[in-house]
Amino acid sequence: MANITITVQSLLNTAVYDSYTIADTSTVTQLKSAIQTATNVDPAWFDIVLNESILSGSSTLASLSIITGTVLRTHNKISRLADRETRQKAKLDLAALDRAASGQARATYDITE
C-alpha cells in the first residue's frame, strides 16, 4: 500500500482542481467519500471519470492504474436523481456549497421561501 496524490475536478467549480492524498488500495467509493469529507458534496451527485470512462465504485485506484499525478474529472449526475424534488434540492444544496466556498455571506437558503 502506497499513498498517492491525485487531482480531481471540483464539482463546485469545474475550472478548479483539488488534490487528494489517498492510499492506492482505496476504492473509487472511498475516494468519493474523501471528496465528500473535504467539500460536503454528496457522492450521489457525481461520478469520477478517467479517460472518458466512468469509474466503478468497487474498483481500486491501483487496479485502474491511477498513480500520483493522475487527473480525474467529475461528472455531475444530479439530473439523473430519482424525482424532481430530489433533483431540485440537490441543485439548491450544491449552489449553497458553491456560495459558501466562495465566501459569500448568504450561502444558506430557506427551503420554505
Side-chain angles (χ1 to χ4, degrees):
M1 177 181 92
N3 281 341
I4 58 173
T5 301
I6 56 176
T7 304
V8 181
Q9 179 185 33
S10 171
L11 191 63
L12 299 177
N13 180 346
T14 56
V16 173
Y17 287 78
D18 301 313
S19 291
Y20 297 92
T21 300
I22 192 165
D24 63 352
T25 55
S26 298
T27 64
V28 173
T29 299
Q30 290 169 320
L31 173 59
K32 289 175 77 171
S33 292
I35 293 169
Q36 179 184 26
T37 300
T39 63
N40 291 324
V41 172
D42 188 331
W45 298 348
F46 67 98
D47 286 319
I48 301 289
V49 178
L50 174 65
N51 299 329
E52 305 305 319
S53 295
I54 294 174
L55 304 180
S56 169
S58 60
S59 300
T60 65
L61 302 179
S63 71
L64 296 166
S65 300
I66 295 174
I67 59 172
T68 292
T70 300
V71 178
L72 301 173
R73 210 170 46 80
T74 56
H75 177 256
N76 184 328
K77 62 179 190 177
I78 289 175
S79 65
R80 292 184 279 151
L81 294 176
D83 56 57
R84 178 183 262 177
E85 182 180 354
T86 304
R87 290 189 299 270
Q88 188 61 38
K89 177 118 175 37
K91 289 176 188 178
L92 289 169
D93 290 343
L94 185 61
L97 288 171
D98 184 36
R99 287 190 302 274
S102 62
Q104 292 184 12
R106 296 188 62 199
T108 60
Y109 66 93
D110 182 351
I111 195 76
T112 63
E113 290 184 5

